Amino acid sequence: MHVFADPTNFDAYLSGFIWILKLTGASAVFALTLGVLLAAMRVSPVPVLRGFGTVWVNIFRNTPLTLVVFFCFFGLYSTLGLTLSDDLDLNNFWLGVIGLSVYTASFVCEALRSGVNTVPAGQAEAARAIGLSFAQTLRIVVLPQATRSVIAPLGSILIALCKNATIVGTIGLMESSNVMKQLINDNGDAVIMIFLVFAGTFAAFLIPTGYAFGWLANRLAVKR
Amino acid sequence: MSTDSVLYDHPGPRARIRNAVLSVVFGVALAGLLWWIYSKFDEAGQWEGQLWKPFTEATTWTQFIGPGLLATLWAAAVGMVLSLAFGIIFAVGRLSERRWISIPSGAVVEFFRAVPLLLMIFFIFYGVPFVIKGPVTAFWAVVIGLTLYNGSVLAEAFRAGIRSLPGGQSEAAYAIGMRKSQVMQLILVPQAARAMLPVIVSQLVVLLKDTALGYIVAFPELLQRGVNDLAANKGNIVAAAIVVAAIYIVINSLLTALANWLDRRSRQRGFRAQRRIATGATPVGGNTVSEPQG
């Protein structure tokens, strides 16, 4: 453990994971909001909205996240001059959040849409029969049931988001993977230990999270 | 439930007007947004012919995009073969009745699913050379990383597939005197592989996209050659990124279409696992949703 006994290294390790947590939290909020909106668009009666949702999903689901994040930095920031903060780290952080959010939103949208498919048609028909509008049907009757049936996929999307947050390291943010690379380069004698500590931290957080989502999905699933 | 028709009534005259108004309003807003994006790019001079001219030259394709694409496809192909093998071995291992096999297999699968791929690739590329006292090429760093991650995801998919087969299948095989290993090889794995084919193909999309991580360890794949190196020579990073993104989107859409076709076909033939157990790895709800790794 001599590598992490050094306070500088330990601080770097901590700050690496704090960046990951911040990236995950901020992107999760944006991605979920955007994903719900996109899903609503994709099932809406207005063709233009449906088309927009479809194009969005097809573009971002099929582009590597690395390229999306790369474009946020070299395209939006370097070329188009989009500056989100004067602080370099914070600027990279927000550029990363944009990339992660637009990418993850397409997966949230698809998960929700497949959840809508699990809701029996009778539910929506009954809702319409009592005079609810499309927006009301979606908001009050369909989406709540759909959400409960897609908790497990949403859980894996959030877990993947947390792991994907490491990719923001590509644009220079010193998140955990960059810190690990640095430590490995400086301490060639302890590479396995360093890897086990970093990978173990992710595993220690994400494996229980996965099981928790599985448990929650079972508990909240609409029994049919 | 078919989302297209049941959520809303067949539009009457008022609904049709409302939809038309909404279409126009949103269409105008969208056009405005696109125009704004266009003018922002224009201000930065991104539509100038010289930035796009390289794509009309053969050398751009033969020196940058072509080799990059080949490297991407090659890494994806090798990664796919290895991760399929990894997935089958560990799925069967995890289902083993011997605890000294099933528990380590389960631990390996859970561990590699939870570790970010980038961390794996960094460790293999920068860390392993210290251990084996020799260099690891960027290609193998990427391929081994991809294998460990996607192999673990596939192992979970296979396990769900095997567990979802009707119990009668293995009972009948035992009844005619097969051993456990024969039941697995001859009866369960082939059926699970067929039922899981759509999931496997959509995992290939994930794997193909993940090869872009090779950019980080300077593996000359599509993102490295087609965007980074090309832009370094021609100074057209936005144009290059758009073209390369389009290539990725086309390839992956084709693969997704293949997955959907396989899914439909297996469903038409009435060949579908009876009760698919949704695990974290395979959120199977009719649709094939794969894990959104980078």
Side-chain angles (χ1 to χ4, degrees):
Chain A
M1 290 306 281
H2 67 276
V3 176
F4 294 95
D6 183 344
T8 354
N9 290 348
F10 189 73
D11 286 347
Y13 161 83
L14 268 190
S15 82
F17 275 98
I18 288 172
W19 277 124
I20 293 287
L21 284 181
K22 285 182 182 167
L23 282 166
T24 312
S27 312
V29 172
F30 287 117
L32 285 175
T33 320
L34 202 56
V36 173
L37 279 178
L38 285 170
M41 283 183 183
R42 285 203 77 175
V43 298
S44 80
V46 185
V48 183
L49 290 177
R50 282 207 301 270
F52 177 77
T54 313
V55 169
W56 180 293
V57 167
N58 281 335
I59 288 183
F60 287 108
R61 219 170 47 146
N62 289 325
T63 312
L65 176 61
T66 321
L67 178 55
V68 175
V69 171
F70 182 97
F71 184 81
C72 285
F73 186 78
F74 290 100
L76 296 184
Y77 170 66
S78 300
T79 309
L80 301 181
L82 173 74
T83 312
L84 296 163
S85 166
D86 292 332
D87 181 52
L88 193 64
D89 272 349
L90 267 184
N91 190 43
N92 290 346
F93 168 77
W94 285 114
L95 289 169
V97 169
I98 293 180
L100 285 171
S101 308
V102 297
Y103 177 81
T104 310
S106 64
F107 288 90
V108 174
C109 166
E110 282 305 271
L112 276 177
R113 203 169 64 101
S114 74
V116 169
N117 285 328
T118 66
V119 179
Q123 296 282 330
E125 280 165 4
R128 272 167 32 216
I130 59 169
L132 298 189
S133 68
F134 169 74
Q136 284 171 321
T137 310
L138 202 60
R139 193 165 50 83
I140 303 171
V141 179
V142 175
L143 269 188
Q145 297 186 58
T147 314
R148 284 170 63 177
S149 71
V150 294
I151 287 176
L154 277 185
S156 12
I157 290 172
L158 282 183
I159 288 171
L161 172 63
C162 179
K163 293 187 290 179
N164 283 340
T166 53
I167 290 174
V168 182
T170 327
I171 55 175
L173 188 68
M174 278 308 272
E175 46 62 58
S176 55
S177 73
N178 267 348
V179 175
M180 186 186 85
K181 182 171 102 181
Q182 196 80 53
L183 288 184
I184 283 181
N185 281 337
D186 296 347
N187 305 279
D189 53 335
V191 288
I192 293 181
M193 221 268 305
I194 293 171
F195 173 68
L196 284 180
V197 168
F198 276 89
T201 311
F202 271 103
F205 272 106
L206 295 184
I207 293 176
T209 313
Y211 280 105
F213 270 109
W215 176 80
L216 207 63
N218 259 333
R219 243 195 93 104
L220 296 183
V222 185
K223 300 281 187 287
R224 294 201 171 96
Chain B
M1 162 171 147
S2 142
T3 48
D4 292 342
S5 54
V6 188
L7 275 174
Y8 40 86
D9 272 312
H10 210 71
R14 266 172 65 196
R16 229 174 282 148
I17 294 172
R18 202 175 50 225
N19 287 353
V21 169
L22 268 174
S23 291
V24 170
V25 169
F26 187 77
V28 168
L30 190 62
L33 181 70
L34 289 176
W35 172 253
W36 181 73
I37 294 174
Y38 172 84
S39 62
K40 275 281 166 197
F41 276 76
D42 199 36
E43 266 172 44
Q46 287 304 313
W47 303 123
E48 279 165 32
Q50 70 185 54
L51 294 182
W52 295 85
K53 196 165 159 284
F55 296 105
T56 61
E57 293 162 7
T59 50
T60 303
W61 298 89
T62 54
Q63 286 178 10
F64 295 102
I65 295 178
L69 183 60
L70 274 185
T72 288
L73 293 176
W74 179 233
V78 177
M80 193 61 200
V81 171
L82 291 180
S83 52
L84 271 177
F86 184 98
I88 292 174
I89 292 170
F90 278 86
V92 172
R94 207 176 176 180
L95 286 166
S96 167
E97 274 149 21
R98 299 189 186 84
R99 295 192 137 217
W100 58 273
I101 297 179
S102 69
I103 291 177
S105 309
V108 166
V109 168
E110 291 287 350
F111 179 77
F112 286 117
R113 269 179 56 201
V115 175
L117 188 47
L118 186 55
L119 224 60
M120 277 307 302
I121 293 178
F122 273 164
F123 172 67
I124 299 169
F125 192 69
Y126 296 104
V128 170
F130 284 111
V131 181
I132 62 168
K133 308 269 184 258
V136 175
T137 60
F139 175 79
W140 284 109
V142 174
V143 168
I144 295 173
L146 286 173
T147 300
L148 293 174
Y149 173 73
N150 291 287
S152 307
V153 174
L154 284 177
E156 281 300 276
F158 276 127
R159 194 169 68 108
I162 290 174
R163 291 215 339 225
S164 68
L165 292 171
Q169 293 288 329
S170 48
E171 278 165 20
Y174 284 124
I176 58 169
M178 283 188 177
R179 277 179 287 113
K180 167 103 182 171
S181 59
Q182 286 176 311
V183 175
M184 273 289 172
Q185 272 174 36
L186 299 173
I187 311 286
L188 297 182
V189 169
Q191 293 192 65
R194 230 183 115 188
M196 286 290 144
L197 210 52
V199 178
I200 292 169
V201 178
S202 29
Q203 197 59 35
L204 179 60
V205 175
V206 176
L207 200 151
L208 192 93
K209 286 198 307 175
D210 281 353
T211 57
L213 284 172
Y215 156 72
I216 292 154
V217 290
F219 173 56
E221 44 67 59
L222 191 51
L223 178 56
Q224 175 79 30
R225 292 297 292 159
V227 184
N228 209 30
D229 296 354
L230 182 65
N233 281 295
K234 317 271 182 186
N236 58 349
I237 201 144
V238 171
I242 291 174
V243 170
V244 165
I247 296 175
Y248 274 115
I249 291 169
V250 168
I251 299 175
N252 287 330
S253 304
L254 288 177
L255 283 171
T256 308
L258 175 68
N260 289 338
W261 179 74
L262 288 170
D263 202 24
R264 257 201 320 278
R265 203 185 65 149
S266 61
R267 207 168 297 185
Q268 267 167 9
R269 297 200 176 169
F271 189 92
R272 196 167 31 151
Q274 297 297 310
R275 44 186 179 91
R276 289 179 174 177
I277 296 153
T279 67
T282 51
V284 228
N287 273 4
T288 46
V289 184
S290 51
E291 277 201 13
Q293 181 71 22

